[in-house]
Amino acid sequence: MKNYNFQKLEPKGVLTWFKKICSIPHGTHNEAQLSKTLMEALNKAGCWVKQFSSGALLVRKAATKGFEKKPMICFQAHMDMVLVKEPYVKIDLLKEPIKPYYDSKDKCIKCDGTTLGSDDGVGVACIMELMTGKYPHGPIEALITVCEEGDVGYCMNSLPQNVLKAKHMINLDIDLPDRMYVASIGTMEVSFERKLKYLPIPKKTKTYHVSVSGLDGGHSGLMIHNPINNAIAFLSEALYSFAQEHNKIRLVSMDGGLLMNSIATKADFVVQIDPKDADELKRHVQHAWNNARTLAQGLDKNGKVSVKPAKKQSKVACSVEETEKILFFYGFLPNGVYRMDITMKHVFACGNIGVVKTAKDTIYTVCLPRSFSTPDLDRQFNMIRYFGSQAGMTNFKRLTHCPPWLTKSVETSTIIQAWTKAFHKATGKYTFPARASGGLETAELITKCPQLDEHCVAVGPRIREEHSTRERVELDSIKELWKTILQVLKEIK
């Protein structure tokens, strides 16, 4: 049963703020209105607030009576969300609000056919309730950033050195409540392009539209270990193998993916083939998809492929040789998990072909390598650049770079020990240190605020399939997170 009214749900204050956040469009680089709304509420509550040129907010609140000697804690979250929707959803996510609801059957908060923004709307909601509500606490600080999902550097460059006073920081941008993250993977946004050399097509060839859609997709770090297909990589490999095994094919355009940090759920290629080979192409692509779906082990079950005559016939296409080079590169470019950490049984390095877009006669691409090693990120960039150059790719750029973060000493960290005790007292459960294969802003903030180096922890509610239209957050985990936040304010010494 869908319940759009959160008034009877707990924690009431946090959920009221979360619904308010959902009512204001807030994709990356579109947070201005949300930033203004939050700042007005914080000012009204009597907090000290500073808004930076990026729209990020720094907030401070004095200790309540009896807690003045507690050390200051900074809570950190980001206000932007990943914007993904199903084709059937008639909504402009840049202008219209999403409508979250509570599903009593599986006890989760969801949205109909769009991402929910629980990453990191729940974190922001917790900060807002803490800063505007009446709870016992020592001196507290909050940093609510922008553009975390797509342009970390834009926000970080707007923050001055030593922006935070606190020596202890709790990041609220993680998706497992029974884990406290003491490390996060580094990321590097890589872009490049490929100029297409269009030639007149042979008279007998016709234009066909080849697509794959309905794949599961999801977060390209936290869900990359699952056997989910990347639509761009799948379709490229399927068409390359067709060219190798059967007949000649010529590329007109290729488009797929929405965001660099989301696994592509859909890809659309336009190609030229001899009409007599059309049935064979349909059989080949369907066979390739049947094999890929089997390897997906029950995931991507709603995926489907299509080969149809294009509505508009193209008069030009790439040569057969150029087409094969391009399809081979995208089909076999390292994508997914590269390396595992055998000690912690965790993804150590991975990559994602995020977005491919054809505009006029140029293919534009954005990839997102991730690794817990900065030299390994450099290695991945060099690998993409080398193999891309062989396929005619040019203008390689590193657009943003978030370094890896690893707490040096879990045993001696005051905030980690305080969170461990607080979580057990609040929930009766135990929490354990872990590494996050999603990038966090923690490493960037440590470079600006060196005092945080050994005193950071990242936590959050249980979010499932974030960055996809099936995103949902467990209500009980929000309760646990909120109870632990209030408890850690008492535990910190």
Side-chain angles (χ1 to χ4, degrees):
M1 181 179 176
K2 296 181 180 179
N3 178 10
Y4 291 89
N5 187 347
F6 291 178
Q7 290 300 311
K8 295 183 179 180
L9 301 179
E10 293 291 344
K12 186 175 180 179
V14 174
L15 294 176
T16 298
W17 272 110
F18 180 65
K19 197 165 185 180
K20 178 68 175 179
I21 291 166
C22 290
S23 72
I24 303 171
H26 56 284
T28 302
H29 282 299
N30 188 37
E31 309 98 334
Q33 184 57 51
L34 179 57
S35 177
K36 179 182 178 182
T37 300
L38 299 182
M39 183 173 65
E40 288 175 350
L42 291 163
N43 278 323
K44 186 177 180 180
C47 298
W48 178 92
V49 188
K50 179 177 177 59
Q51 184 183 55
F52 297 97
S53 59
S54 62
L57 300 175
L58 177 63
V59 192
R60 294 189 181 117
K61 188 177 182 182
T64 55
K65 188 175 181 180
F67 284 74
E68 295 88 350
K69 294 184 179 180
K70 292 280 187 182
M72 178 180 279
I73 299 178
C74 176
F75 293 89
Q76 193 264 318
H78 64 86
M79 66 179 83
D80 61 317
M81 67 173 283
V82 168
L83 303 180
V84 180
K85 68 173 185 175
E86 295 291 350
Y88 64 83
V89 177
K90 305 300 180 183
I91 183 176
D92 184 346
L93 291 174
L94 295 176
K95 299 178 180 179
E96 300 175 64
I98 57 174
K99 297 179 180 179
Y101 67 87
Y102 176 63
D103 187 332
S104 58
K105 184 177 181 180
D106 60 6
K107 298 181 180 180
C108 287
I109 297 174
K110 306 176 180 178
C111 266
D112 278 321
T114 72
T115 39
L116 174 64
S118 52
D119 172 11
D120 191 18
V122 172
V124 175
C126 287
I127 289 174
M128 292 302 297
E129 176 61 14
L130 184 60
M131 289 294 186
T132 61
K134 296 180 179 180
Y135 303 94
H137 58 76
I140 49 177
E141 188 174 49
L143 181 63
I144 308 176
T145 57
V146 297
C147 296
E148 190 273 348
E149 297 292 3
D151 194 357
V152 174
Y154 171 76
C155 179
M156 291 298 154
N157 290 337
S158 76
L159 305 180
Q161 197 70 14
N162 300 310
V163 62
L164 301 178
K165 286 184 176 181
K167 294 182 179 180
H168 309 281
M169 187 174 78
I170 298 175
N171 170 284
L172 298 170
D173 188 21
I174 283 296
D175 67 338
L176 283 174
D178 58 350
R179 296 288 184 272
M180 53 177 181
Y181 286 82
V182 298
S184 68
I185 205 164
T187 61
M188 177 190 295
E189 181 182 348
V190 177
S191 71
F192 50 88
E193 59 191 58
R194 214 296 186 172
K195 197 82 170 178
L196 300 176
K197 300 175 183 178
Y198 284 134
L199 301 172
I201 61 171
K203 292 182 179 180
K204 291 184 179 181
T205 62
K206 296 291 183 182
T207 311
Y208 286 82
H209 180 250
V210 187
S211 67
V212 58
S213 60
L215 307 191
D216 285 355
H219 194 291
S220 67
L222 302 178
M223 296 177 67
I224 201 71
H225 61 286
N226 292 327
I228 300 169
N229 287 283
N230 180 301
I232 300 166
F234 162 75
L235 205 53
S236 298
E237 183 178 352
L239 292 179
Y240 175 78
S241 64
F242 173 80
Q244 292 294 297
E245 297 176 17
H246 299 285
N247 305 80
K248 295 179 179 178
I249 187 171
R250 294 173 173 84
L251 181 68
V252 177
S253 65
M254 56 191 300
D255 297 276
L258 293 173
L259 299 162
M260 64 175 179
N261 52 1
S262 185
I263 301 169
T265 63
K266 187 176 186 291
D268 299 282
F269 290 14
V270 177
V271 299
Q272 289 277 348
I273 60 170
D274 191 318
K276 66 182 177 59
D277 298 325
D279 288 341
E280 182 59 39
L281 177 60
K282 290 178 183 178
R283 285 192 291 269
H284 185 90
V285 173
Q286 186 61 57
H287 179 69
W289 175 242
N290 291 342
N291 289 338
R293 187 164 49 191
T294 299
L295 293 173
Q297 303 174 41
L299 301 174
D300 288 334
K301 60 184 178 181
N302 295 320
K304 59 181 180 180
V305 294
S306 172
V307 178
K308 297 179 180 179
K311 293 181 180 180
K312 184 179 180 181
Q313 293 295 309
S314 176
K315 296 180 180 180
V316 295
C318 298
S319 68
V320 171
E321 294 75 20
E322 185 180 11
T323 296
E324 290 186 7
K325 283 183 179 180
I326 293 170
L327 293 176
F328 179 84
F329 173 71
Y330 287 103
F332 297 96
L333 175 67
N335 180 72
V337 177
Y338 294 160
R339 186 176 296 117
M340 293 293 293
D341 184 322
I342 60 173
T343 303
M344 300 190 74
K345 297 181 180 180
H346 203 281
V347 174
F348 185 87
C350 60
N352 181 56
I353 307 173
V355 183
V356 173
K357 177 75 174 176
T358 304
K360 293 184 178 181
D361 61 349
T362 304
I363 300 174
Y364 299 92
T365 306
V366 181
C367 297
L368 188 67
R370 300 174 186 261
S371 179
F372 278 98
S373 163
T374 297
D376 188 59
L377 285 172
D378 295 334
R379 173 182 171 274
Q380 290 188 52
F381 175 77
N382 290 333
M383 183 169 57
I384 292 170
R385 182 171 57 183
Y386 175 79
F387 288 111
S389 298
Q390 306 304 304
M393 309 294 163
T394 60
N395 200 21
F396 293 87
K397 294 180 180 178
R398 308 184 193 199
L399 299 182
T400 59
H401 182 192
C402 182
W405 158 57
L406 177 63
T407 297
K408 294 179 181 178
S409 179
V410 174
E411 292 78 10
T412 60
S413 171
T414 304
I415 193 65
I416 292 174
Q417 296 306 314
W419 185 268
T420 302
K421 294 178 182 177
F423 184 80
H424 182 61
K425 286 186 177 181
T427 69
K429 303 176 184 178
Y430 292 95
T431 184
F432 306 94
R435 291 183 178 185
S437 53
L440 296 173
E441 297 164 290
T442 313
E444 291 276 8
L445 290 171
I446 288 174
T447 62
K448 289 185 174 292
C449 306
Q451 77 274 16
L452 297 174
D453 196 6
E454 295 185 30
H455 303 288
C456 296
V457 65
V459 296
R462 186 177 296 279
I463 304 173
R464 299 188 183 276
E465 300 187 83
E466 63 258 64
H467 295 192
S468 80
T469 56
R470 297 168 310 286
E471 180 184 344
R472 57 202 183 275
V473 56
E474 294 182 5
L475 180 60
D476 286 346
S477 71
I478 299 177
K479 294 177 184 177
E480 291 182 350
L481 174 64
W482 180 240
K483 287 180 180 178
T484 308
I485 288 173
L486 297 181
Q487 185 64 38
V488 81
L489 293 169
K490 301 174 183 178
E491 293 294 331
I492 191 73
K493 296 178 181 179

